[in-house]
Amino acid sequence: MIPLSITFVLFITFFALLIIGSPIAVALGSASILSYLHLDQNPIKLVQLGFNAIGSFPLMAIPAFIFAGAIMEAAGISKRLVHIAETLSGSFTGGIGASTVIACIFFGAISGSGPATTAAVGMLMVPAMIKHNYGKDYAAAITAASGGLGIIIPPSIPMVIFGISAMGIAAPFEAIAEFGQFQSVSISKMFVAGVIPGLIMSLGILIYNYIYCKKSNIERSSHKWSFGESFQACCEGKWSLSAPVVILGGIYTGLFTPTESAIVTIFYVLFVGIFIHKELTWKEFTKCVDSTAWLSGRIMLILLTATAFGRLLVENQIPVVIVEALTTLTTNPYIIWLLIIGILLFVGMFMETLAAIMILTPVLLPVTYALGIDPVHFGVVMICTLSIGFSTPPLGENLFVASAIAETPFERITAKVTPIVFIAVIAVIIIAFVPQISLWLPSLFY
C-alpha cells in the first residue's frame, strides 16, 4: 500500500512551488528533499542519484549536440540549408511557407532542439514570408509549429533523455512481478524510430500550409523553380547537406553510438566552418561555448532533480497504482492511448519537455508496458506529443521565440497556430494507433 502522505508531500509541494513561479528544477528538488525528510531518509540521496544520472555516458550527447547546433549556425551551415529549401520551393502556392517547414527538418536533423530550430530558421524565413504577404502572425505561427519538429527528427535531445529515464526505472521495476522482465530502451533505436513519425507530422503542416495559402490568396513567389538553381544550391551547400548524413549514417549503420556521433558532429562542423566556409571566427566560437554551457547547465540541473523525483515515484510504487487504476478502468489500448496523449498534451502546456519526460516516464511507461506496447513506440509517441507543447500556451517556448522575431503579439500567434496544433494532434493519434509507423524502420536496422 502506497503511503498517501508521501504522495501528498511530493506532488503538493511540487505544484505549489510551480504556481508561485519557482523554476522547475527548484520545484523538483524541493519536493524531493521534503519527501526524503518525511521518509526519515538522508536528503544527500538526491545528490547521489543526480550525480549517477548526469554522469552517464549517453548523457554526454546532450551538450555535444547543443554545441554542434550552435557552431552550425555560426559556421553558415544553417544559412545554406535554408537557401537550399528556398530554391526547392519554387513559385507554387505556399512555397515559402513550405520552405520554412523543410528548413526546420534540415536544421532539426542536426540541432535536436525546438527553440534553437525556431530561432535559426525564423531569423531567415519569417522576414521572407512577411515580404510576400503571409502576415506576421501566420509567418510566426508556422515557424513555431515547424520548430517543434526539431525534437522528433533525429538526433533528438529529448530522445536521449527518454532513453536514460527508461533505463533508470528498469532496475526498480524488475522487482515488481506484474511487469516481468523490464526492457531497456535503445537510444539508437529511438533515433531511427523518429524518422517516419517526424516526416508524417511535417507532411501534415505542409498540407495545412498549402490549404491556408490557397484559401487566403497569398501571392506566389515570383521566383520560378529551376532545376539548375536548385542543383547549384545543393552543390554550394553540399557540406551542409552532408552533416545529417554523417550524423545519422554513422548511427544507423552502427559505426558509432549517438554519443560518439555527437562528438563526430562537433569536429565535422568545426572543420566546415573553419576550413571550408571560413565563416567561423574566434568571437563566434566563444559565443557558441557560452550558449552551450548555459543551456547544458540548465538541462543538467533539471535532470539531476527530476531523477530524484522519479526515483521517489518508483520506490513508493506510485506507478503501480496508476497502472492498476487505468487497467481497471479499461484494457482497451486505444482508449488508454487517448488518455495518455491527453495527459501529455496538458502537461506539455505547462512544463518544459525535458522535465515532463523525466517525471512522466516512470509513471506512464509501466502502463504501456503492461498492455504489451513497445517502449520505443511509446517513447516516440511521447516525444511527438510533447513537441506540440512548444506551440501551445502558456509555456510555448517556440511561440515566444517566433513572437520576438516577427515582432507580433503572443496572443495573435496563438490564434493562428491553433489549427496546426489540431492537425499535429491527429497525426500523433495515427502514430500511436499504428505501431509500425514507429517500429518498421528500426526492424530493418536492428
Side-chain angles (χ1 to χ4, degrees):
M1 186 67 183
I2 297 176
L4 294 178
S5 57
I6 186 61
T7 306
F8 180 84
V9 171
L10 193 62
F11 284 101
I12 295 301
T13 305
F14 173 66
F15 286 113
L17 288 171
L18 283 183
I19 289 171
I20 65 175
S22 295
I24 186 74
V26 173
L28 289 168
S30 300
S32 300
I33 290 173
L34 286 177
S35 299
Y36 285 132
L37 293 173
H38 179 75
L39 294 169
D40 292 326
Q41 297 181 11
N42 192 337
I44 199 67
K45 190 175 181 180
L46 181 146
V47 180
Q48 295 170 338
L49 288 172
F51 180 80
N52 290 332
I54 64 176
S56 64
F57 178 72
L59 200 62
M60 291 175 59
I62 293 178
F65 277 128
I66 293 174
F67 189 44
I71 295 175
M72 186 181 75
E73 187 173 358
I77 294 176
S78 59
K79 178 176 65 178
R80 286 166 174 81
L81 291 175
V82 170
H83 177 61
I84 292 170
E86 283 183 308
T87 60
L88 292 174
S89 68
S91 61
F92 69 86
T93 302
I96 301 178
S99 299
T100 302
V101 179
I102 296 171
C104 286
I105 294 173
F106 284 150
F107 193 91
I110 302 176
S111 71
S113 169
T117 301
T118 303
V121 176
M123 290 295 292
L124 297 169
M125 298 305 296
V126 168
M129 284 189 282
I130 293 173
K131 181 180 177 181
H132 287 83
N133 298 325
Y134 278 69
K136 290 184 177 181
D137 304 339
Y138 179 73
I142 192 170
T143 305
S146 303
L149 301 172
I151 72 168
I152 305 171
I153 303 294
S156 163
I157 293 172
M159 285 184 180
V160 176
I161 295 294
F162 175 81
I164 294 171
S165 302
M167 293 174 193
I169 66 172
F173 270 107
E174 285 175 354
I176 300 176
E178 294 102 302
F179 300 113
Q181 185 178 2
F182 202 93
Q183 301 175 9
S184 61
V185 179
S186 165
I187 296 174
S188 296
K189 284 187 179 180
M190 286 290 298
F191 280 5
V192 178
V195 174
I196 297 178
L199 294 177
I200 288 175
M201 296 191 72
S202 305
L203 181 62
I205 299 175
L206 287 170
I207 292 173
Y208 175 78
N209 172 71
Y210 176 81
I211 295 172
Y212 176 88
C213 293
K214 191 79 172 177
K215 184 178 179 181
S216 302
N217 292 320
I218 293 175
E219 68 177 52
R220 300 182 181 187
S221 171
S222 58
H223 181 80
K224 298 291 184 181
W225 180 82
S226 166
F227 174 79
E229 186 178 2
S230 297
F231 181 76
Q232 182 181 358
C234 290
C235 289
E236 292 174 355
K238 60 181 179 295
W239 292 96
S240 301
L241 286 173
S242 298
V245 177
V246 170
I247 300 169
L248 303 179
I251 295 173
Y252 293 171
T253 58
L255 189 62
F256 37 72
T257 67
T259 305
E260 292 166 346
S261 83
I263 306 301
V264 171
T265 304
I266 289 176
F267 283 100
Y268 178 83
V269 295
L270 280 173
F271 175 80
V272 173
I274 296 172
F275 298 105
I276 305 300
H277 295 165
K278 298 180 180 180
E279 296 180 17
L280 183 61
T281 63
W282 177 253
K283 182 179 179 181
E284 290 298 323
F285 179 80
T286 56
K287 286 182 180 180
C288 294
V289 174
D290 288 342
S291 62
T292 300
W294 185 85
L295 285 173
S296 300
R298 179 168 168 243
I299 291 172
M300 294 301 177
L301 188 58
I302 293 174
L303 180 61
L304 187 150
T305 53
T307 298
F309 190 94
R311 185 56 64 90
L312 278 165
L313 292 176
V314 173
E315 289 178 348
N316 290 278
Q317 298 188 349
I318 294 173
V320 178
V321 171
I322 296 174
V323 171
E324 292 175 348
L326 285 177
T327 53
T328 300
L329 178 66
T330 178
T331 56
N332 187 317
Y334 299 108
I335 296 177
I336 291 182
W337 263 129
L338 292 175
L339 291 172
I340 289 174
I341 290 171
I343 292 170
L344 292 172
L345 287 171
F346 179 77
V347 170
M349 293 171 63
F350 299 95
M351 190 179 296
E352 290 180 328
T353 302
L354 301 183
I357 292 171
M358 291 295 297
I359 294 170
L360 294 178
T361 298
V363 176
L364 298 178
L365 184 56
V367 176
T368 58
Y369 188 76
L371 295 172
I373 295 171
D374 190 287
V376 171
H377 178 213
F378 168 72
V380 170
V381 174
M382 183 183 208
I383 290 166
C384 287
T385 309
L386 291 174
S387 74
I388 299 173
F390 283 113
S391 306
T392 53
L395 187 59
E397 294 175 82
N398 286 6
L399 294 178
F400 285 107
V401 173
S403 174
I405 294 172
E407 298 180 349
T408 188
F410 179 86
E411 297 79 9
R412 294 174 61 177
I413 300 177
T414 302
K416 290 290 185 180
V417 84
T418 300
I420 305 177
V421 168
F422 177 77
I423 291 172
V425 172
I426 298 298
V428 167
I429 293 173
I430 294 172
I431 294 166
F433 285 6
V434 186
Q436 286 306 309
I437 292 176
S438 303
L439 301 178
W440 176 71
L441 206 55
S443 69
L444 295 181
F445 286 93
Y446 302 94

